[in-house]
Amino acid sequence: GARTLGAINGTRLRRRGPPFRSNKYIFNVSANNQTLLKLERVRRCYGSTLAVDQVSFHVAKGEFFSLLGPSGCGKSTTLRLIAGLEESDAGEIWLNGRLIASPERGILVPAEKRNIGLVFQSYAVWPHMTVAQNVVYPLEVRRWDTAKISRRVGEVLDLVGLAGLEQRRPVQLSGGQQQRLALARSLAYEPDLLLLDEPLSNVDAKLREHLRFELKRLQQSVGVTIVYVTHDQTEAMSMSHRLAIMNHGHIEQIDCPEAIYKDPASFFVQNFVGRLITFEGKVKENGATRKIEFSGGSCVPLVEQTTIPDGGKLKIAVRPEDIEILTNGREPGAGEIPGVVVDVSYVGSRYECAVSAANAEFVLETAPNFRLQRGQTVVLRLNEIKLWPA
């Protein structure tokens, strides 16, 4: 993501630039990272609405890859194009070295011949069938022999923790068990690729957290390649080897979770992934001295040369964990701005403090042994900030 603009007492300032890479961010699922799925300039329109806009990415064999973004960004449409449930208007989709969709070449492999597993948000398990019958049916359709079917059903039900529940109906299962049944049914016929569309959105928060770890553990044990669609950043960040952030049909950034969080390629990415506090400001020049002036008048020095002109407007972005609260009553120093505590709430393991500073109001968390008072004046030390065009 971003190149260094300057420094404020060690505070790093960044602007948008070429993708950042370092050894700790190198993606590596297997030794050769063999590509299983590849999309090249895929496009899908609904009338005048461009739902998927020149989307390109690859997924390595054995990788857990997520499409993350807000509702309506095109992630589910992209998944449906991969599955063959919809036709693209342009571009190519390759699976396991085979071209499965290309409007330009007149190629469209039917969904049932792509050997792809698909789990929907609603699970779509068959209510009139038992657990075992739900898993058996897709194998019978593929004309597996009876002995192989019996063996495989036992394997996958044991794998997802449903052994012993073979004769139950879906209505007799909990939400988490139904989700595991949908996974078992999709894994039974050994798909080349497993597509998951918001599979955890219909369960409560506590169960969702448990299933998240179960799904990650299952993927690691089986080694199946997964493309996962979600709007929940915690799901995507915690389970994925890499993720693609989508916005208005196009991809803003593809990288591993740590790089997405620490080195976002755009303000949209930084603002969407994790909590973010944003100030407005501009560059202020006085002879050889250059500063960043926040709305409200607070200034911090910009010590390195930049291409941003005098008076250039900026968005100043900082993560809450990169703000240090100082209460010793002194005046703000370099890289610091004054603030006032507006409100304090006790939430058990911490305090949540509403703070006003530089014409912005935001919430910071403090430890239970560090209590601030309403109306108290504080100094905020900004340990790392990023700059984006306003």
Side-chain angles (χ1 to χ4, degrees):
R3 289 195 295 266
T4 300
L5 272 175
I8 305 173
N9 267 10
T11 297
R12 290 187 294 155
L13 309 178
R14 297 180 179 272
R15 69 176 169 83
R16 187 170 180 172
F20 173 86
R21 292 292 184 274
S22 70
N23 288 337
K24 68 179 179 179
Y25 292 150
I26 290 176
F27 160 70
N28 186 26
V29 169
S30 60
N32 56 9
N33 281 357
Q34 178 184 349
T35 297
L36 179 78
L37 174 70
K38 181 170 64 174
L39 276 70
E40 294 184 345
R41 304 176 306 280
V42 172
R43 182 165 55 87
R44 177 68 168 116
C45 296
Y46 299 104
S48 60
T49 302
L50 188 55
V52 177
D53 182 11
Q54 299 290 318
V55 164
S56 298
F57 62 84
H58 75 275
V59 180
K61 191 171 184 179
E63 183 179 4
F64 197 123
F65 185 91
S66 289
L67 297 173
L68 174 66
S71 297
C73 71
K75 56 189 185 296
S76 289
T77 302
T78 301
L79 200 78
R80 293 174 65 84
L81 293 173
I82 296 169
L85 301 179
E86 294 197 29
E87 297 182 29
S88 56
D89 297 310
E92 295 184 347
I93 302 175
W94 296 75
L95 180 63
N96 225 357
R98 176 191 181 197
L99 183 60
I100 59 173
S102 174
E104 291 88 349
R105 302 196 207 184
I107 295 174
L108 182 64
V109 175
E112 65 273 15
K113 294 187 177 180
R114 296 190 181 192
N115 198 32
I116 290 176
L118 181 59
V119 177
F120 293 100
Q121 180 177 343
S122 61
Y123 312 143
V125 292
W126 295 302
H128 63 290
M129 294 183 180
T130 65
V131 166
Q133 288 169 340
N134 264 274
V135 180
V136 165
Y137 181 73
L139 303 181
E140 289 180 335
V141 169
R142 288 165 175 80
R143 302 183 185 278
W144 285 33
D145 66 68
T146 303
K148 189 177 178 182
I149 288 176
S150 179
R151 184 169 60 252
R152 185 59 178 164
V153 170
E155 288 173 352
V156 294
L157 290 181
D158 184 60
L159 183 67
V160 300
L162 293 179
L165 304 180
E166 290 84 353
Q167 299 311 311
R168 290 195 184 181
R169 304 271 180 181
V171 71
Q172 298 172 296
L173 302 178
S174 67
Q177 288 172 328
Q178 289 185 42
Q179 189 251 15
R180 281 183 267 163
L181 174 56
L183 283 172
R185 187 180 60 188
S186 294
L187 289 170
Y189 51 88
E190 300 171 344
D192 293 323
L193 177 66
L194 182 59
L195 306 178
L196 305 179
D197 191 0
E198 303 270 13
L200 305 184
S201 60
N202 283 338
V203 296
D204 62 64
K206 187 174 182 180
L207 180 58
R208 188 183 306 125
E209 182 177 343
H210 173 69
L211 290 174
R212 197 168 69 229
F213 288 104
E214 272 197 4
L215 181 56
K216 184 176 181 180
R217 188 162 49 242
L218 177 65
Q219 191 270 339
Q220 290 171 341
S221 64
V222 176
V224 65
T225 307
I226 290 178
V227 175
Y228 189 95
V229 161
T230 183
H231 66 274
D232 188 314
Q233 57 185 273
T234 302
E235 286 181 16
M237 298 283 281
S238 64
M239 294 191 292
S240 309
H241 294 106
R242 290 185 306 146
L243 54 151
I245 309 296
M246 293 192 69
N247 181 30
H248 295 302
H250 70 273
I251 292 178
E252 294 263 343
Q253 185 175 2
I254 300 176
D255 219 320
C256 65
E258 187 177 0
I260 291 282
Y261 188 83
K262 293 183 177 180
D263 294 278
S266 66
F267 176 75
F268 173 84
V269 172
Q270 188 180 20
N271 196 38
F272 187 77
V273 178
R275 289 182 58 215
L276 190 67
I277 295 167
T278 307
F279 303 98
E280 294 181 353
K282 62 183 178 180
V283 173
K284 187 175 183 181
E285 217 170 86
N286 185 9
T289 303
R290 305 191 81 201
K291 296 180 179 181
I292 297 174
E293 184 181 69
F294 290 74
S295 295
S298 301
C299 289
V300 294
L302 178 60
V303 299
E304 293 186 11
Q305 293 297 316
T306 76
T307 58
I308 300 175
D310 182 33
K313 292 183 179 180
L314 300 168
K315 289 178 182 176
I316 304 151
V318 58
R319 299 287 188 192
E321 64 267 24
D322 290 325
I323 297 180
E324 187 178 349
I325 304 175
L326 307 176
T327 59
N328 55 9
R330 62 174 176 78
E331 291 297 312
E336 299 172 350
I337 60 175
V340 177
V341 178
V342 177
D343 200 4
V344 179
S345 300
Y346 179 67
V347 291
S349 61
R350 66 191 184 279
Y351 286 102
E352 291 184 348
C353 306
V355 178
S356 177
N359 281 355
E361 190 170 307
F362 45 89
V363 174
L364 297 176
E365 296 179 354
T366 65
N369 60 350
F370 185 74
R371 181 172 183 178
L372 299 173
Q373 302 296 323
R374 185 181 301 174
Q376 182 176 354
T377 299
V378 295
V379 171
L380 305 178
R381 177 178 294 161
L382 311 180
N383 290 319
E384 181 170 336
I385 67 178
K386 297 183 192 297
L387 304 181
W388 305 99

